Amino acid sequence: MARVTVNGVQKVYPNGFKAIHGVDIDIADGEFVVLVGPSGCGKSTLLRMVAGLERVTDGTISIDGKVINDLEPAERDIAMVFQNYALYPHMSVYNNMAYGLKIRGLSKAEIEDRVKKASAILELNEDLLIRSPRQLSGGQRQRVAMGRAIVREPSVFLFDEPLSNLDAKLRVQMRLEIKKLQERLGITSIYVTHDQVEAMTLGHRLMVLNEGRVEQLGTPIELYERPASIFVAGFIGSPAMNFMDAKVGSDSRSIDLPGGERLPLNGTGAEAGRPVTLGIRPEHLERASGQEGVAHLNVDLIEHLGADSLVHGHFGNDRTDLTVRVQGTLNMGPGDTFDFSVAPDHLHLFDPQSGARIA
């Protein structure tokens, strides 16, 4: 196990494109950190720099205080699990897991002991160990890829979108297995994904990247409850947060919505009359009627999901779109009116120009 420190790391390619803009993070021994963001944000590039597959242009990467910038991947005591499994098709499952140990010169007895222990952890029985990768399901192949990493007994695990090729049900299952595995082994882990649900469920902390810059670093709950920017607020949470143009009321204790409706607002320090971007999560819009602080949504579509329903509609003269998440089914349809209110604690205010959260 190890502590990983990334200090002022930048990546600039020969054509001048800057993929990573000065990233800093200190990952504690045994911590599970998830790098999350849309495609092209730099998360895989950052992971590959930790692995030694990409050169660091500026800054340093350290493991337990030792700078590893110039070390070859094999010298870094890391193990990486790839999106495409990267298994040797002509080798059995056992030999795929054992190969890295053989080239390191471990004894046959030590190799067999490590492979057996990893197989037990991942529930890979003897019948599976003699098969070739093409005889395995996607989930089994991913287990073998993780087993190959486990037998190395590395200081750091690196995961590069390992579940992207699996179907939805299997992704949930494998996500739980990775979580339990990391907690059981206690190995420092860095995990890359574009799936915010994976990020929220797996990570002790999340780093949200946007165009090579860190938008926010914190626990899943911190990012959900107090997103630092419009980008983070829109990326974390499913369904995505609703956004609309609004204005702080004349008393600074309310927020004026499009169409003239008004919701109560806790004191924020925002000056009266200030234009803001208002963010409200779909699950925080509550059905209400006949009271102050109620707005009226014109229903366009309802999605019944079983335990929940999503109400899509619009309100105000500019037909601001809004999504509401309610429990259970809803006996409504297009053209109906859905009256809603929001607790003041669940209103998020952002600066329209910078996108930054208004404290």
Side-chain angles (χ1 to χ4, degrees):
M1 295 185 287
R3 178 176 180 175
V4 179
T5 303
V6 177
N7 186 18
V9 165
Q10 300 185 41
K11 177 63 180 180
V12 183
Y13 288 99
N15 64 1
F17 175 70
K18 195 169 187 177
I20 300 292
H21 300 256
V23 170
D24 296 288
I25 182 172
D26 192 6
I27 302 172
D29 187 5
E31 188 177 15
F32 197 131
V33 168
V34 179
L35 311 182
V36 63
S39 297
C41 71
K43 54 189 184 295
S44 289
T45 300
L46 182 57
L47 189 79
R48 288 170 64 84
M49 285 195 287
V50 176
L53 303 176
E54 294 274 2
R55 290 293 180 185
V56 176
T57 304
D58 197 12
T60 60
I61 299 174
S62 305
I63 296 180
D64 278 342
K66 179 182 179 180
V67 176
I68 61 170
N69 287 34
D70 298 324
L71 295 183
E72 294 299 319
E75 301 172 315
R76 298 189 179 205
D77 195 20
I78 56 96
M80 192 163 181
V81 181
F82 296 91
Q83 177 180 346
N84 61 357
Y85 319 133
L87 302 177
Y88 299 110
H90 62 288
M91 292 184 182
S92 68
V93 167
Y94 181 94
N95 286 331
N96 263 282
M97 294 173 64
Y99 182 71
L101 303 180
K102 290 178 181 178
I103 62 177
R104 290 168 61 187
L106 272 68
S107 69
K108 185 176 180 180
E110 176 70 10
I111 292 172
E112 185 172 350
D113 182 61
R114 290 195 186 189
V115 171
K116 282 186 175 181
K117 286 180 179 177
S119 300
I121 291 171
L122 296 167
E123 298 181 359
L124 295 170
N125 58 40
E126 291 185 5
D127 177 59
L128 292 176
L129 290 178
I130 62 174
R131 295 186 189 182
S132 65
R134 67 175 179 273
Q135 295 174 303
L136 305 179
S137 67
Q140 289 168 337
R141 292 181 193 180
Q142 194 56 269
R143 289 186 191 183
V144 175
M146 287 192 290
R148 186 176 56 189
I150 292 170
V151 298
R152 294 273 309 278
E153 297 182 359
S155 297
V156 182
F157 273 148
L158 305 179
F159 297 90
D160 191 7
E161 303 204 46
L163 308 184
S164 295
N165 293 335
L166 305 180
D167 61 56
K169 182 178 180 181
L170 196 53
R171 284 174 71 116
V172 174
Q173 178 185 338
M174 291 302 299
R175 192 169 71 216
L176 294 174
E177 290 190 12
I178 289 175
K179 180 73 170 180
K180 289 188 291 185
L181 177 67
Q182 196 276 336
E183 290 180 350
R184 178 176 178 177
L185 299 178
I187 295 177
T188 307
S189 301
I190 306 175
Y191 188 105
V192 161
T193 183
H194 64 272
D195 186 327
Q196 57 93 17
V197 175
E198 270 183 33
M200 294 284 286
T201 54
L202 285 174
H204 296 145
R205 284 191 298 162
L206 313 184
M207 175 185 278
V208 182
L209 290 166
N210 179 23
E211 296 183 349
R213 293 180 172 86
V214 179
E215 288 276 341
Q216 190 170 357
L217 173 64
T219 66
I221 295 302
E222 287 171 349
L223 269 63
Y224 176 82
E225 294 185 343
R226 291 189 61 81
S229 65
I230 291 175
F231 180 86
V232 176
F235 195 83
I236 298 297
S238 181
M241 183 181 283
N242 298 292
F243 296 106
M244 64 194 79
D245 295 329
K247 187 171 65 175
V248 178
S250 57
D251 57 357
S252 295
R253 304 290 296 180
S254 61
I255 191 87
D256 295 332
L257 304 181
E261 293 164 311
R262 176 173 289 186
L263 293 175
L265 180 68
N266 282 342
T268 63
E271 60 270 23
R274 175 178 177 173
V276 296
T277 296
L278 173 66
I280 309 174
R281 296 202 179 277
E283 55 270 30
H284 292 154
L285 291 152
E286 300 176 356
R287 193 172 186 183
S289 61
Q291 63 187 61
E292 291 186 5
V294 172
H296 311 284
L297 181 71
N298 300 303
V299 177
D300 297 323
L301 175 71
I302 295 182
E303 293 181 277
H304 297 292
L305 306 178
D308 300 316
S309 294
L310 299 181
V311 182
H312 302 277
H314 65 276
F315 72 100
N317 297 330
D318 63 351
R319 296 180 62 88
T320 298
D321 292 325
L322 205 64
T323 299
V324 183
R325 185 173 196 161
V326 297
Q327 288 189 335
T329 57
L330 197 63
N331 187 26
M332 300 184 78
D336 290 335
T337 300
F338 182 95
D339 297 335
F340 68 88
S341 62
V342 188
D345 288 345
H346 290 151
L347 299 179
H348 304 265
L349 304 186
F350 303 95
D351 183 86
Q353 277 70 49
S354 68
R357 182 183 187 88
I358 299 173

